[in-house]
Amino acid sequence: MAAAKPPSNAAASAATESTNSRKCARQGRGQEALEHAERALDLYERADDRPGRANALNAVGWCHALLGDNVRALTYCGRALRLQQRLDDRRGAGDSWDSIGYANHGLGRYRPAARCFRRAADLFREVGDRFAEALSLARLGDTHHAAGDPRAGQAHWTRSLTILTELRHPRADEMRARLAESSPRGHCFA
């Protein structure tokens, strides 16, 4: 059996840029996250790393969505999704469907956003990523709520809460609070 080929310098640098992009995005530093994601994309292209390129395309799109440029986000995330589908990367495709849903939500396109979040949640469930599934379900709930269907929103938030509780994830408290704020007085979510 042949040993795995070590990553090129470009691929290793791209992975670092991707990590930095995610970190900045989580900290609310969207422009800085975008710059790291764009550098990662350039480096993955130089390394001819198609899976890395697909994920970096989605990261660039996600950062554009975080910055409010949802039209540009759809362009990048759509490119990422097409490449991930060609590569049969279902986990990556789940990320891209979620990002496309987020951008559509930001544009007020709630029906397409809901379809995207459902696709993402289904893919995350198939690959066993319960946390990502819970996040997509929460966003699906947000979309239904924004579209004027609070009952459907609460149903998806409840599904998200169930998963987060099973995972003992700290975001379960955030979801409980969201449900409590949106429900009739006196109803408690355990």
Side-chain angles (χ1 to χ4, degrees), residues 172-186:
D173 292 335
E174 176 186 317
M175 192 55 53
R176 263 186 219 93
R178 188 177 305 176
L179 279 160
E181 288 172 13
S182 69
S183 67
R185 289 196 181 275

Side-chain angles (χ1 to χ4, degrees), residues 64-77:
H64 280 296
L66 292 176
L67 293 169
D69 191 349
N70 293 302
V71 173
R72 186 171 282 167
L74 289 172
T75 299
Y76 279 96
C77 296

Side-chain angles (χ1 to χ4, degrees), residues 27-105:
Q27 295 172 346
R29 297 174 10 226
Q31 185 59 46
E32 195 174 341
L34 175 60
E35 292 165 7
H36 285 292
E38 287 173 333
R39 284 194 292 271
L41 176 58
D42 179 58
L43 289 162
Y44 280 125
E45 285 174 344
R46 280 197 239 161
D48 195 30
D49 182 330
R50 291 176 62 205
R53 179 174 177 252
N55 292 330
L57 282 165
N58 186 58
V60 169
W62 176 253
C63 291
H64 280 296
L66 292 176
L67 293 169
D69 191 349
N70 293 302
V71 173
R72 186 171 282 167
L74 289 172
T75 299
Y76 279 96
C77 296
R79 288 173 56 200
L81 179 62
R82 288 187 294 278
L83 182 52
Q84 287 156 334
Q85 289 172 328
R86 282 195 304 271
L87 296 170
D88 195 30
D89 177 2
R90 294 181 344 193
R91 173 65 181 78
D95 284 334
S96 291
W97 278 117
D98 186 80
S99 297
I100 293 167
Y102 188 87
N104 274 301
H105 181 108

Side-chain angles (χ1 to χ4, degrees), residues 101 104 109-119 140 143-144:
N104 274 301
R109 299 176 186 166
Y110 300 127
R111 186 168 285 144
R115 282 193 301 266
C116 293
F117 289 133
R118 276 190 206 95
R119 291 283 297 271
L140 179 57
T143 296
H144 280 289

Side-chain angles (χ1 to χ4, degrees), residues 16-29 33 36:
T16 299
E17 292 291 346
S18 293
T19 299
N20 290 337
S21 176
R22 286 189 300 276
K23 179 180 174 185
C24 289
R26 279 192 306 271
Q27 295 172 346
R29 297 174 10 226
H36 285 292

